[in-house]
Amino acid sequence: MTTQLSLLTPSGHLTLGNLLGALRPLAARQEAYDTRVGVADLHAMTTAHDPALLRARTRELAVLLLACGLDGSTLFVQSRVPAHRLLTYLLECVATTGELGRMVQFKEKGRAEPSTRASLFTYPVLMAADILLHAPQQVPVGDDQRQHVELTRDLAQRFNRAYGPVLVVPEVVVPAAGARVMDLQRPTTKMSKSVGADGDGGVVRLLDPPAVVRRKVARAVTDSDIGADAVRSDRATKPGVTNLLEVLVACGGSADGVTTYGALKKAVTDAVVAVLDPVQRRYAELLAAPDHVDAVYARGEERCREVTAPVLAAVERALGL
Ligand code: AQP
């Protein structure tokens, strides 16, 4: 059975973008694939972090993955599968500082800062370890992560050439028109969970109550078009309206007969609230059943330790350890 793998970083509260772009497609395919979904807590430590907040966000994300219907998947918290950290160091012995220095995200996020953590520099290697340990044949990626998956392929190929054919070189696949939800206030930027509370008006969180969703959608940026055909998609000239239409359709609603921005926002609010409602109900039930959540993750982590151990052992052997 083909493996599909996805890790989500607990860098904030999950958003509607994470649900529509990642969790829902994963859940839809979880029976057809050996689906492994991880909470990437180690990835949330590449910039200054608060341990208590990291722990709380990790737990929230873990519970939300279940609430979003991923009960048919192998769920795990990355730090509880030590092979991820162990393989990272071994791959750092294959990666070069030159190629890591060329990673766009490192350049953008902090190369110039003397206080930049070394882990921000090496995190693409951790990501490579995440992927190579689980040996998926294909890795679906958005544009922002493509460079990191290319690095993963390079490291695997270099390793195999130098030390023997141990690692599965994954193919990069661009997911078929996956939903890409844009920020409601800055509709040319993707909706992101790490946007702080001050800029959070454009970000719909999975745990936002209906009144908050209504307020955020009501304030969503549109444009000053008041023509009879104002409600239409055009990413270049009407990014806000286009985003609302896409969210509406992705949430199962329809824009048929919708002619004003007010009516569009009402339809979007209703559709989003209807999608979030079962997630929020299930989340509340799971909060009352912490032992169940713990058992699911303990089982998933045990399985991950089992399936990753032979990969790590083969790498160690090949390297002469
Ligand atoms: N706006 C979005 N629309 C569609 N899909 C999205 N994803 C994220 N934002 C959108 C998908 O969710 C998964 C989360 O991966 P991640 O936790 O590694 O972080 P990310 O991709 O960088 O997502 P965020 O929410 O924007 O986090 P921060 O703010 O920490 O950078 C991925 O599958 C991603 O494609």
Side-chain angles (χ1 to χ4, degrees), residues 194-205:
S194 62
V195 168
D198 47 335
D200 152 277
V203 181
V204 177
R205 315 268 177 192

